[in-house]
Amino acid sequence: MPLLEFSPPMQDVNSNAQKKTAQRVAVGRHRCVIVAMLAMAMGLPMGAAAQEATPVLLDAMTTELHRAFASLGKQGPGKQLPPYFLSYSVSDASEVSIRAQYGALIDNSTNHMRVADIQVRLGDAKLDNTHGNHRGAAVNSTQLPLTDDREALARTLWLATNNGYGNALDNYLRVKTEAQVRAKEEDSSPDFSQEAPQVHIGKPASPVVVDRAAWEQRVRALSKIFRDYPDVYQNVVMLSAQSETHYYVSSEGSQVVVPHLQVRLVVFAMTRADDGMDLFRAQTFEAETAEGLPAQPALEAAIRDLGQSLEALRKAPMTEPFDGPAILSGRAAAVFFHEVLGHRLEGQRQRGDEEGQTFTKELGKDVLPKFLSVADDPTLTSFGKTWLNGSYDYDDEGQKARRVDLIKDGVLKTFLMSRLPIASFAASNGHGRAQTGRMPTGRQGNLIVTSTKTVPEAELRKQLIDEAKKQGKPFGLYFEDISSGFAVTTRNSPQAFQVIPLVVWRVYVDGRPDELVRGVSIVGTPLAAMKRILATGDKSEVFNGECGAESGTVPVSAVAPAMLLSEMETQRQPQGTARPPILPIPGTDTPASMKKEAQ
């Protein structure tokens, strides 16, 4: 059940630095331009220039991997099965985190971690220890020493490799047993694709550069703005600056070193309506460096808009179930496409007895209106002036990122592929992604929706009103902002989706002012929802976020224009039972005379 979290919940924002770094060490780190290549006398792909020296960590990884691959199953007592594939994937990540609430710092920390994923495959590419439900059994993770101590690095990798090999042996026996007793599978594709080895050695990422004193002051000042909004009960402003280098080596001969720098400012605030419904708003600002973030006045304005929005939301009326025309803003449409369509186009969802395979048999058929096309292009680092969170140069299986045209003029062309083959698609297209400790699967990066049937925003609104009148509805809905959603893709459950909007307006056909409502949840089925799109706006918007699925949490982006749908079904969100705080916020119940004396 994939889960998209473009706006992180409070518990994610307040997690400690080590947990945050561990969650992100294997994802979304391949964004900077590679500046150098390592020439190798192996007949493998090479760049134009060689680095003066191989990084110590890469050299230690390569040496120990080749030693282990040459020895496992061939030495020691008894006859054992040697691996046919072995890879080491290491994230060397540093982070600076500054958090504040109500104008005061609550965290100012740094963290440095090296985490290695060791992947061991036994058997052969046709049938190995990752088959079926055992995919995760091939990966064993461990923390590495932070210093370039060759012997310490080698011994740590040695121990993790031994443990991973033992797990792989156990699971391969299970796979072989299951293969003998189970019925024939629908998709008999191999468990691993054959790919050309990649050699691409970039310069390791530079250290995190943040003016901590200046950003402490800025973050404090931003969070202090929430003091002006007494109905905002929880808030946090967090600056997270990351410097990460991803190292990948494999027994096939791949060597990849890719640097990544990212700075993210997260603003999160929450309130509670009188009837017990919890409401939150969040906004994120991303850039490659701190200098790329918006200036302080722009950030202050964004936070004031957020605070005012929350105060308006808690007073807004509860919605009722609705089935009628609606407009999704560009940001909302981006989340909608990621959740409703994107997950169902991930390669691994096209094989396996448990998957619903919504689009597996739809290749070459119309799945969208003719005026819509969808691509996933992780090679894009920005859209307009907005930095894209889902960009990377190499995926987490050491494969070069590439643009994939998924749907062209409404017709489904292909899927997002990792190195897990499916019927009709035997190769990766650079979309194998994973969080540390997880097996890479086909995942989205930068999902880009384009349209040839565009109209200005004002015309799109007019068409909404006309469609509502045509259907005899008193209003249509306008979805301004969406936070998250989830998609059910397994066949033992209904093939449905749910998307959680944050800001929703009723657009009345009789000319009354638009009315803000709360408690709306979008529900539906993908095949029906996708074909109800009537027209799109003429401007695209970007939504950056993080998405969780079976291979863990990875950074993603989605780009789409606003969209008019002839029919959108909504239901009410859970209301909650806790009432707002009984005790007034400090300072709001103090007489003015006492405040003056205190000053």
Side-chain angles (χ1 to χ4, degrees), residues 218 222 225 294-304:
R218 290 185 66 177
L222 292 171
I225 293 173
Q296 193 76 351
L299 294 173
E300 291 173 353
I303 289 180
R304 292 196 181 279

Side-chain angles (χ1 to χ4, degrees), residues 21-49:
T21 303
Q23 288 178 335
R24 290 191 290 260
V25 289
V27 295
R29 56 270 188 138
H30 323 307
R31 299 189 181 96
C32 296
V33 176
I34 299 300
V35 297
M37 303 287 282
L38 178 66
M40 297 187 67
M42 297 176 61
L44 302 178
M46 294 181 292

Side-chain angles (χ1 to χ4, degrees), residues 237-535:
V237 177
M238 179 181 73
L239 178 80
S240 173
Q242 300 170 11
S243 171
E244 184 176 12
T245 305
H246 179 233
Y247 299 83
Y248 179 87
V249 298
S250 77
S251 56
E252 296 171 324
S254 289
Q255 282 192 318
V256 176
V257 179
V258 193
H260 164 56
L261 298 175
Q262 179 183 10
V263 177
R264 191 181 197 202
L265 185 75
V266 178
V267 181
F268 179 89
M270 190 168 71
T271 188
R272 179 175 293 156
D274 290 340
D275 57 15
M277 175 171 283
D278 286 324
L279 304 161
F280 78 91
R281 292 295 311 277
Q283 193 162 356
T284 63
F285 306 88
E286 288 95 357
E288 189 173 4
T289 64
E291 290 71 24
L293 293 175
Q296 193 76 351
L299 294 173
E300 291 173 353
I303 289 180
R304 292 196 181 279
D305 286 344
L306 190 148
Q308 292 167 9
S309 172
L310 275 177
E311 291 197 331
L313 274 171
R314 71 183 306 273
K315 298 174 184 177
M318 276 284 291
T319 187
E320 297 296 332
F322 176 79
D323 184 14
I327 289 177
L328 297 168
S329 72
R331 287 159 56 90
V335 180
F336 186 78
F337 262 75
H338 171 102
E339 200 57 63
V340 178
L341 181 72
H343 278 300
R344 289 175 171 80
L345 299 183
E346 293 166 344
Q348 70 279 2
R349 307 199 189 287
Q350 318 311 317
R351 66 180 283 183
D353 298 337
E354 71 286 352
E355 284 292 343
Q357 302 177 7
T358 308
F359 293 105
T360 305
K361 306 298 184 183
E362 299 298 311
L363 279 170
K365 299 179 182 178
D366 290 333
V367 296
L368 287 177
K370 290 288 188 183
F371 56 85
L372 289 175
S373 297
V374 181
D376 194 285
D377 191 354
T379 67
L380 291 177
T381 57
S382 62
F383 187 87
K385 296 182 179 180
T386 304
W387 193 72
L388 294 178
N389 198 39
S391 59
Y392 55 90
D393 290 329
Y394 282 80
D395 71 8
D396 293 306
E397 295 179 304
Q399 297 299 303
K400 189 170 180 59
R402 68 198 78 166
R403 175 188 171 94
V404 177
D405 290 310
L406 296 163
I407 298 172
K408 188 68 174 177
D409 299 327
V411 178
L412 178 60
K413 297 295 186 180
T414 189
F415 300 103
L416 298 171
M417 298 297 298
S418 65
R419 293 190 67 175
L420 176 68
I422 61 174
S424 303
F425 296 98
S428 167
N429 53 28
H431 280 77
R433 308 185 66 199
Q435 174 184 319
T436 271
R438 305 289 186 92
M439 176 69 76
T441 61
R443 297 291 294 275
Q444 298 168 74
N446 296 325
L447 194 73
I448 314 293
V449 183
T450 55
S451 171
T452 59
K453 188 178 180 181
T454 62
V455 296
E457 182 101 3
E459 174 61 23
L460 203 64
R461 177 185 172 92
K462 180 180 180 299
Q463 291 185 22
L464 171 68
I465 294 173
D466 291 342
E467 184 66 26
K469 289 179 179 178
K470 177 182 173 182
Q471 297 182 23
K473 304 290 185 181
F475 57 82
L477 294 180
Y478 176 73
F479 295 89
E480 179 182 330
D481 195 13
I482 289 180
S483 71
S484 61
F486 67 88
V488 179
T489 63
T490 55
R491 66 175 67 180
N492 59 357
S493 299
Q495 292 298 290
F497 63 85
Q498 184 174 11
V499 178
I500 310 301
L502 296 178
V503 181
V504 184
W505 299 85
R506 287 175 178 164
V507 180
Y508 287 97
V509 301
D510 60 7
R512 276 181 284 170
D514 295 352
E515 181 183 28
L516 181 67
V517 293
R518 60 182 171 88
V520 183
S521 178
I522 302 174
V523 294
T525 54
L527 289 173
M530 290 291 100
K531 293 184 178 180
R532 290 170 178 162
I533 302 170
L534 300 177

Side-chain angles (χ1 to χ4, degrees), residues 176-229:
K176 293 287 285 184
T177 301
E178 291 171 4
Q180 294 174 5
V181 300
R182 62 155 294 149
K184 184 179 179 180
E185 296 174 285
E186 290 181 283
D187 189 337
S188 58
S189 298
D191 288 327
F192 202 45
S193 66
Q194 301 296 317
E195 308 288 348
Q198 302 290 315
V199 178
H200 208 148
I201 313 299
K203 182 178 180 181
S206 57
V208 175
V209 179
V210 173
D211 187 336
R212 298 185 66 161
W215 273 103
E216 286 174 8
Q217 184 177 354
R218 290 185 66 177
V219 170
R220 286 177 55 244
L222 292 171
S223 69
K224 189 175 181 179
I225 293 173
F226 286 111
R227 293 189 192 182
D228 297 337
Y229 301 92

Side-chain angles (χ1 to χ4, degrees), residues 41-109:
M42 297 176 61
L44 302 178
M46 294 181 292
Q51 282 191 183
E52 293 181 0
T54 302
V56 173
L57 176 56
L58 179 67
D59 187 55
M61 291 168 59
T62 303
T63 300
E64 183 57 28
L65 180 138
H66 289 315
R67 189 182 77 90
F69 189 71
S71 302
L72 282 171
K74 302 173 185 177
Q75 298 181 4
K79 185 178 180 181
Q80 297 172 323
L81 185 66
Y84 78 90
F85 176 84
L86 180 65
S87 69
Y88 292 164
S89 177
V90 174
S91 169
D92 188 353
S94 299
E95 181 180 30
V96 172
S97 178
I98 302 173
R99 287 188 293 137
Q101 66 182 26
Y102 295 120
L105 290 179
I106 57 174
D107 176 59
N108 186 348
S109 60

